[in-house]
Amino acid sequence: METEPEKENRVRSQIECQVDEIWSILGKTWALLILKKLTENEVTRFSEIKKAIPEISNTVLSDRLHQLEEQGLIRKKVYAQVPIRVEYSLTKQAIDLGKILEGLDRWVIKWRKEKPRKK
Amino acid sequence: METEPEKENRVRSQIECQVDEIWSILGKTWALLILKKLTENEVTRFSEIKKAIPEISNTVLSDRLHQLEEQGLIRKKVYAQVPIRVEYSLTKQAIDLGKILEGLDRWVIKWRKEKPRKK
DNA sequence: CGGAATCCTTGGAGATACTG
DNA sequence: CAGTATCTCCAAGGATTCCG
């Protein structure tokens, strides 16, 4: 269905719009750092994240956790104790995502070295 | 240098801070769509991008192009004609990046299907 | 402890007009 | 044609307070 010669040996849509979808979530502030923190242990508490990322406000942290949960990237478990205890963990999907981002990581390392530094 | 048992069979830093660096650029509005447009042809003109993405303002398009160029992701070639002609193209690094984002694409597809849809 | 509600602040995006 | 220069505006982030 795509016959134009100049497009044949080109990787079409190398960067698909699909990515925009996940970008709209991961692109938000702190989202990646939160996910990263959650990779360090099986479960992580609200206050632990705050301790790891002190600059984040609880407003935003709370927002992000909701959004990530809503997207199925993290799981939330509430213990009805006093004081209350809440644990967050990554879903399998987030772990898969992490693998992919590792590749991106390696690219960033390389890219940083090769960067023209024209300034 | 990492001996704690609970961390042994965990991929540490699955999501590195490194990614934040590229994220701070790609996360900006239109950045990905611009790159995507540039994958379609060897060279692309300013007005062609605008035509492909009509909703973008030239202010923002101009900003993004500068930023992407500064990061070594795109290349700019100016023809001193009247009217002036400017062509943009991807650098090798951006093409490599595109490959990686393809993997992310595939993940998004899968992830979208498996999404809990709890609402 | 883990948030929600509230208010405040800012920078990034958009529209418009102009220029080499 | 390919931008730059201004201006405006609003959503997203931050600080603080309070609550179950």
Side-chain angles (χ1 to χ4, degrees):
Chain A
M1 58 175 71
E2 184 71 85
T3 54
E4 296 133 78
E6 68 271 34
K7 297 197 178 176
E8 276 184 340
N9 50 2
R10 290 222 121 251
V11 182
R12 291 189 67 256
S13 304
Q14 276 185 354
I15 302 164
E16 271 294 339
C17 289
Q18 328 288 7
V19 184
D20 269 19
E21 214 177 321
I22 189 67
W23 236 251
S24 67
I25 296 142
L26 299 186
K28 303 210 170 196
T29 50
W30 310 113
L32 274 176
L33 287 176
I34 293 169
L35 286 178
K36 186 196 169 192
K37 174 62 185 170
L38 293 187
T39 64
E40 292 178 6
N41 296 288
E42 291 297 338
V43 297
T44 313
R45 301 184 60 175
F46 191 91
S47 48
E48 290 178 315
I49 306 177
K50 277 232 60 170
K51 207 181 304 169
I53 318 171
E55 313 91 329
I56 195 173
S57 66
N58 32 5
T59 319
V60 176
L61 176 52
S62 179
D63 280 359
R64 284 304 161 277
L65 289 171
H66 277 140
Q67 291 158 0
L68 292 173
E69 187 192 3
E70 192 178 348
Q71 298 305 322
L73 295 179
I74 67 176
R75 204 176 296 114
K76 179 180 181 176
K77 186 164 185 186
V78 182
Y79 296 86
Q81 309 172 348
V82 181
I84 193 172
R85 176 190 190 87
V86 181
E87 289 178 348
Y88 294 94
S89 57
L90 295 180
T91 62
K92 180 180 175 306
Q93 296 163 46
I95 295 174
D96 288 348
L97 174 62
K99 301 263 171 58
I100 295 182
L101 293 179
E102 281 177 43
L104 189 53
D105 257 351
R106 286 190 288 272
W107 179 87
V108 173
I109 307 280
K110 239 184 54 188
W111 155 77
R112 203 177 344 186
K113 285 195 304 194
E114 294 173 4
K115 205 189 299 190
R117 276 273 143 262
K118 45 168 36 190
K119 180 55 140 311
Chain B
M1 58 174 69
E2 184 71 85
T3 54
E4 295 132 80
E6 69 271 33
K7 297 196 178 177
E8 276 184 340
N9 50 1
R10 289 221 123 251
V11 181
R12 292 189 66 256
S13 304
Q14 275 185 354
I15 302 164
E16 271 294 339
C17 290
Q18 329 289 7
V19 183
D20 269 19
E21 217 177 318
I22 189 67
W23 238 248
S24 68
I25 296 142
L26 299 187
K28 304 210 170 195
T29 50
W30 309 113
L32 275 176
L33 286 176
I34 292 170
L35 286 178
K36 187 197 168 191
K37 175 61 185 172
L38 294 188
T39 65
E40 294 177 7
N41 296 288
E42 291 296 337
V43 297
T44 313
R45 302 184 61 175
F46 191 91
S47 48
E48 289 178 315
I49 307 177
K50 278 231 59 169
K51 207 182 303 170
I53 318 171
E55 313 93 329
I56 194 174
S57 66
N58 30 6
T59 319
V60 176
L61 177 53
S62 179
D63 280 1
R64 283 306 159 275
L65 290 172
H66 277 140
Q67 292 157 0
L68 293 173
E69 187 192 4
E70 191 178 350
Q71 298 304 322
L73 295 178
I74 67 177
R75 204 176 296 114
K76 178 179 180 176
K77 187 164 185 186
V78 182
Y79 295 86
Q81 310 173 347
V82 181
I84 194 173
R85 176 190 189 87
V86 181
E87 289 178 346
Y88 294 95
S89 57
L90 295 181
T91 63
K92 181 180 175 307
Q93 297 164 45
I95 295 174
D96 288 348
L97 174 62
K99 302 262 171 59
I100 295 183
L101 294 179
E102 282 178 41
L104 189 53
D105 257 350
R106 286 189 288 273
W107 179 88
V108 172
I109 306 279
K110 240 184 55 190
W111 155 79
R112 203 177 342 185
K113 284 196 302 194
E114 294 173 5
K115 205 188 301 190
R117 275 274 143 261
K118 45 167 35 189
K119 182 54 140 312

